Amino acid sequence: MQKIILITTIVLLSLICKVNAQGVDAIKNSSDWHYRGSKANSYEMGSDSGAEKNNQTVYKIKSIQNKINGFGTIMKTIQPDAFLGKTVKMTAYVKSENVKSWAGLWMRVDYYSEAVLAFDNMHKKPVKGTTEWTKYEIVLFVPLEATSISYGVLLDGTGQIWLKDVALEIVDDSIAETGPNKGRDHKILAFETRAKAISNEIKTIVAKEKDALKDDIQLIEKDLEKGIISKEQAEALKLKKAQEHATAIDTKVALEQEKLGQLVQDKVDGKVEDAKDLRSKGRTIVLGNNPNSIGSKTEINVTSMKVYSGQEDKEERQSKRTTSQLVFAAGLNNVVTDGSVEKSDFRYLGSHFYELGVTYKTRILEKSNLLHAKYGLSLMYNNLRATDNRNFVVNGNQTNLEVNALQQEDSRFKNVNLVFPAHLEFDFTKTQDRDGKTYYKTHDSFRFGVGGFVGVNLKSKQYINYDSDSYKSRVITRGDFNTSNFIYGLSTYIGYKATSLYLKYNLNPLFKDNIVKQNNVSLGVRFDFN
């Protein structure tokens, strides 16, 4: 009865609501290859009749615009049944011409549209420039719960590539996977995830069949308007199409309902775990930036003080327009006197600085990853060790280095500053386009920043250590020492990924009223943990 109501409703709606359709443009394909991408209209894609070949089809992707911020891809999606639980190698030959950004083969293993189980697109070993026919390969493990395998070739930006001899083969499990997202990291999916995916697939099946029926009816209406068929023939064709699509819905939905029933049974039998159970497993603790995929594991990053619930969560958060970083820097510290650090009154290696802070990094342009505003809050510790048995002595509004009457083992002067740094940062990390979405990850390539800082001096201390007759003692003196209370200066850094060479210079003098002006300068290594 429900099927009859559905068919009758669809037919009546098609008769009442005639649509001025322009016809349904069939998906461009050849031998079930499809042409897609985030900027598909910016490319000419298809078989290349003029390409060199020996009884085989050669496909091409050619840019037709001078500048493209996106990619085009020739792809195919297949059922994974023959590859479940096995390691699969994709091979193909690719030729390129004037590829400015990059190109590469790609393969992805999915669980419906809910989870990517394995993925590689040769982004770490891309095709660039102009190359002759070269054989490339991708190796991925296909988990048992996989529902589809998609593969093809993509071109990012401008240029032209050709593709031929694409093949998939099962290989020995001892062969390592090539992708950053490895199939063996995704063997377990939570019950809730799988149930939701099957439910969404049922909705998608119904929606697609209804849309396909609507398209068929529009074509029939056009034939009726042109007089190709009679009204009676049109009605008969509409009814036939409605029955075909209703049957397709019944058949496809029945398969998914069978999967859902089996999933519920597996849950009852204890073969499938809840999401809350999975979250208590598979944790990994890392120091510094972790370039590897974490799959569905939870990553606890100690240095950045962040917790990521799986690779998808990590990529989403690291690609936000504003991200945060924990900053640590350390290095040499000294003063510039009369425009020079030569013949300094302070030890070059013994004087040092370190800085600890939090920064926020905001992408200035919505769709460009190059320019960022970087700002935050830092504690700076600047230490100076005087030479020649000297230490600082306050004489009115002057603070002078004087020789100590007693023999010192060490003399150290420390300023602690609270500052607000701000930089314009150039980050050359490339964006990644995947599944129609652009990811703006940062701190994955060369970076440099230029800017400055303002702040206040929190405290000043002088430490003098003595070692006399086997007795060790330390004298700690606290005070302002006539130091500048308002701190401001210039700073810059240049580096790769999280590590940078860092230079900062205080425009304010170390001692505000001294006749001889001395300005603090620091050179060291800086770490921005994303």
Side-chain angles (χ1 to χ4, degrees), residues 454-473:
V454 296
V456 294
N457 181 19
L458 296 181
K459 61 182 178 180
S460 298
K461 285 185 181 182
Q462 182 167 244
Y463 303 84
I464 301 177
N465 295 341
Y466 298 97
D467 186 0
S468 178
D469 298 327
S470 300
Y471 289 95
K472 295 182 180 292
S473 61

Side-chain angles (χ1 to χ4, degrees), residues 14 22 60 76 112 124 153 158 164 167 216-217 264 298 337 357 362 365 367 385 423 430 512 515:
S14 69
Q22 298 176 354
K60 69 176 181 181
K76 181 186 292 188
Y112 296 104
K124 297 296 183 182
V153 67
T158 59
K164 68 177 183 180
D216 289 341
I217 290 175
V264 173
T298 296
T337 305
T362 299
L365 302 176
K367 296 184 178 180
R385 280 188 164 89
H423 295 87
K430 292 186 177 180
K512 56 188 175 184
I515 297 174

Side-chain angles (χ1 to χ4, degrees), residues 292-312:
N292 300 319
S293 171
I294 60 175
S296 57
K297 295 180 181 178
T298 296
E299 177 183 286
I300 302 173
N301 194 307
V302 177
T303 47
S304 65
M305 300 178 65
K306 293 177 182 175
V307 178
Y308 299 110
S309 300
Q311 184 66 20
E312 183 177 355

